[in-house]
Amino acid sequence: MNEANAGPRYRQIARRLKAAIESGELAPGKRLPASRVYAQELGVSRATVEAAYGELVAQGWLERRGQAGTFVSDRLAPAAPVAPATWFGGEQPHPQPFQLGLPALDLFPRALWARVMGRRLRTQTRFALALGDVCGEGELRSAIAGYLHFSRSIECRPEQIFITPGYAASMTMILQTLAKPGDIMWLEDPGFPLIRPVIARHGVRFYPAAVDEEGLDVEAAIREAPEARFALLTPAHQSPLGVALSLARRRQLLDWAAHRDAWIIEDDYDSEFRYQGKPLPPIKSLDAPQRVIYAGTFSKSLFPSLRAAWLVVPLPLVPAFREQAALTACSVPLLWQLTLSDFIREGHFWRHLKRMRQRYAQRRHWLEQALSAQGFRVVAQQGGIQLLAAVDGNDSVQAARAREAGLAVQALSDWRLTSRGAGGLLMSFTNIMSEEQAQQQVQLLARAIK
């Protein structure tokens, strides 16, 4: 095995055990060494071995039998190679426990998607082999406009919608069209850190705007950085704190943008997933002054490798954005766009979201229960695909220890620009498929950081 390219150590151990099971070296029903003993043999921490065992238990290769130990699953045929699961033609990537930004990969209706795509393949004409519209296919843009009208109360025309290959590409298009070096952008603090390099690359400066229980503090931002030309925020479910921007602040923000000739970039990254209460309307649905650019993506509602996102821009900006789009053209494959259009129009997308909301509520409950049982305090949130557990002490150090054990948690402090506040650990629950799996992963987390 090439250790340099093998990934985390617990994954190396898991692959080694899996290969031994496939070859028949580890037969069904065979007991594995205790994690402490195996860790000593390998020269690694016990948490690393537990992470490897836990991953194989979740995949069905191993099973726990209480105090008796961990065994190769009896359900596996002796010495029979097990074909790898496929994910659109390749080996399915197994997400790390608690990995942020991933939807539930097991819930996506792959067979249905394949049928919809197959129908498109069978019925396409020779013209489908040509380059498509630089702004995205008209069918998909119309489907998105219809979906936004019924689900988010956003009135827009298809020509206002631009298809991009992801959130970073959407932000790049916005800044290339509207920004000048030296412009100032309000950024939520704490806020999503991975978009900051994209913004900085265009010479735009950050103003860290504080977030409280009503969302971004608009009054403080106006007082301290009134000359800003952009405000980037996640008003439906603030990332990472989970609060919603109050209606009063939404109106205050729109008034500021109209008077200052500024632009509001509304990142509606996971608004579909709300489990309690009625969501507030998007800022875009209140956009009488035409100052809001609305950004969405299918990465968190369908699957990340789709690489499809969209922008809704104010009508006066359509010519400028179309001119910018012509320089690079839409890179989302035409077949994907047309399949996605059918998926939305035929109601599959809506039914998929409904199913995910139900399952996510259950998975979140499992994780909350497991965290509470280990003494963690979960910060209350009304929606989203991740949660925040408050911790004492240095959360960055604790998150680093967890990552060493193969757990993809993140520290709240690492999402801050200048603000200070209580520490916390951010983690996703979307790919937790059972109550037992939640308990196992949280036990690993508790051992790693405590």
Side-chain angles (χ1 to χ4, degrees):
M1 180 166 54
N2 186 346
E3 297 288 331
N5 299 317
R9 189 64 192 276
Y10 86 98
R11 285 266 173 88
Q12 300 174 27
I13 297 170
R15 281 196 291 268
R16 191 179 306 163
L17 291 170
K18 182 178 172 182
I21 295 171
E22 288 180 320
S23 68
E25 181 181 348
L26 289 176
K30 183 175 179 60
R31 184 180 184 278
L32 271 66
S35 58
R36 188 184 303 277
V37 173
Y38 197 30
Q40 291 174 347
E41 291 178 0
L42 298 176
V44 298
S45 70
R46 184 182 179 187
T48 300
V49 173
E50 283 288 348
Y53 282 5
E55 177 160 303
L56 293 179
V57 168
Q59 296 172 16
W61 295 91
L62 303 179
E63 60 186 25
R64 308 276 194 183
R65 299 182 186 173
Q67 295 183 348
T70 303
F71 294 76
V72 178
S73 175
D74 284 326
R75 293 187 293 271
L76 299 176
V82 180
T86 58
W87 179 250
F88 300 112
E91 186 174 352
Q92 179 174 353
H94 298 294
Q96 288 183 292
F98 308 130
Q99 185 171 333
L100 301 182
L102 278 180
L105 302 181
D106 63 305
L107 297 183
F108 183 72
R110 289 178 290 171
L112 173 61
W113 178 267
R115 288 199 298 272
V116 176
M117 180 177 284
R119 186 178 66 224
R120 272 291 178 178
L121 276 170
R122 291 190 300 273
T123 58
Q124 68 180 357
T125 69
R126 66 183 185 277
F127 301 110
L129 303 177
L131 291 173
D133 191 317
V134 295
C135 304
E137 284 309 295
E139 288 185 45
L140 177 57
R141 296 157 75 194
S142 295
I144 292 173
Y147 169 74
L148 293 177
H149 169 73
F150 289 107
S151 70
R152 307 296 286 139
S153 300
I154 293 175
E155 299 293 340
C156 63
R157 303 176 187 174
E159 59 264 32
Q160 292 177 255
I161 297 175
F162 292 79
I163 308 301
T164 76
Y167 177 47
S170 294
M171 183 61 64
T172 296
M173 176 179 279
I174 293 170
L175 297 178
Q176 287 177 338
T177 305
L178 300 175
K180 301 186 297 293
D183 282 347
I184 296 174
M185 179 182 290
W186 296 350
L187 291 184
E188 294 171 318
D189 188 14
F192 184 56
L194 297 184
I195 200 62
R196 296 171 196 162
V198 177
I199 299 168
R201 194 178 304 136
H202 291 82
V204 174
R205 295 180 290 153
F206 306 150
Y207 165 74
V211 175
D212 58 24
E213 64 278 0
E214 292 187 62
L216 185 144
D217 190 340
V218 178
E219 185 175 345
I222 293 174
R223 184 174 59 251
E224 297 174 18
E227 72 280 15
R229 288 200 64 233
F230 301 95
L232 172 61
L233 66 164
T234 51
H237 181 249
Q238 199 276 331
S239 177
L241 299 181
V243 298
L245 188 70
S246 68
L247 187 58
R249 288 191 178 177
R250 290 167 189 243
R251 290 172 174 158
Q252 188 180 19
L253 187 66
L254 284 167
D255 185 66
W256 162 79
H259 283 86
R260 300 294 304 189
D261 196 26
W263 301 105
I264 300 165
I265 305 171
E266 181 176 13
D267 176 11
D268 207 13
Y269 73 105
D270 68 353
S271 62
E272 293 94 348
F273 305 116
R274 189 177 177 94
Y275 317 113
Q276 301 174 21
K278 186 177 180 180
L280 290 169
I283 300 176
K284 184 63 182 174
S285 69
L286 310 172
D287 187 24
Q290 292 289 293
R291 308 306 302 181
V292 179
I293 301 169
Y294 184 83
T297 176
F298 292 105
S299 291
K300 300 188 175 52
S301 54
L302 294 179
F303 54 95
S305 64
L306 181 59
R307 304 305 300 156
W310 73 87
L311 288 174
V312 181
V313 307
L315 269 173
L317 293 181
V318 168
F321 271 80
R322 188 169 185 90
E323 183 178 342
Q324 182 61 45
L327 299 177
T328 55
C330 178
S331 61
V332 182
L334 178 61
L335 177 61
W336 292 95
Q337 293 190 60
L338 296 177
T339 302
L340 183 51
S341 170
D342 293 343
F343 199 78
I344 296 171
R345 288 184 183 279
E346 295 169 12
H348 305 310
F349 183 53
W350 179 258
R351 287 189 289 273
H352 175 57
L353 290 177
K354 182 179 178 181
R355 180 186 180 214
M356 290 175 77
R357 276 192 289 268
Q358 295 169 345
R359 299 292 288 272
Y360 281 2
Q362 178 65 74
R363 294 180 180 193
R364 182 186 179 93
H365 178 67
W366 287 336
L367 183 54
E368 285 181 335
Q369 279 192 319
L371 288 166
S372 297
Q374 291 293 329
F376 291 96
R377 181 175 63 83
V378 178
V379 177
Q381 296 185 10
Q382 293 183 320
I385 60 174
Q386 64 193 42
L387 55 74
L388 174 63
V391 295
D392 297 322
N394 190 322
D395 57 349
S396 295
V397 171
Q398 294 178 50
R401 291 173 181 164
R403 288 193 294 271
E404 289 176 359
L407 306 174
V409 301
Q410 296 187 28
L412 176 59
S413 295
D414 295 339
W415 287 49
R416 298 185 185 276
L417 280 164
T418 61
S419 64
R420 296 291 180 267
L425 298 178
L426 295 162
M427 60 194 82
S428 174
F429 50 82
T430 55
N431 285 284
I432 292 176
M433 292 183 285
S434 69
E435 187 174 6
E436 294 73 22
Q437 185 181 10
Q439 293 169 353
Q440 292 165 4
Q441 293 181 357
V442 172
Q443 288 169 4
L444 287 175
L445 175 64
R447 282 196 292 267
I449 70 173
K450 293 182 179 180

